[in-house]
Amino acid sequence: MMPHVILKMVEGRSESQKQALAEALTKAVTASLGCGEDLVSVAIEDVADADWMARVYEPDIHQRRDTIYRMPGYGPKD
């Protein structure tokens, strides 16, 4: 098991905030899955707020609902 977490978020966070988030995600993954920290990788992708719906919501959330374990409370209602 080698979990790789890809986190996309609206740009504007500092490098120290991203590092702290990566550490927190690593701890959550290791606690939930019972693997060592050396097996976890975390990528963070910044996205402009104006591009969020087209670059993230539509392709990664709306079109891939079968892979989403927690849906956001925003977006088109269908």
Side-chain angles (χ1 to χ4, degrees):
M1 166 186 337
M2 292 178 259
H4 176 61
V5 177
I6 301 171
L7 176 73
K8 297 180 183 185
M9 62 184 180
V10 172
E11 63 191 356
R13 276 56 170 223
S14 69
E15 288 301 312
S16 62
Q17 287 175 310
K18 292 177 190 178
Q19 190 61 46
L21 179 55
E23 291 301 319
L25 288 169
T26 299
K27 290 184 186 317
V29 169
T30 60
S32 297
L33 300 180
C35 64
E37 289 187 4
D38 59 322
L39 297 178
V40 179
S41 55
V42 177
I44 297 176
E45 299 177 16
D46 287 326
V47 178
D49 189 33
D51 297 334
W52 184 263
M53 294 303 282
R55 286 191 51 212
V56 178
Y57 184 84
E58 187 58 34
D60 294 342
I61 300 171
H62 184 72
Q63 292 181 17
R64 301 187 69 206
R65 292 179 205 197
D66 58 323
T67 68
I68 304 297
Y69 284 82
R70 185 180 184 286
M71 289 293 290
Y74 65 88
K77 303 297 180 210
D78 48 30

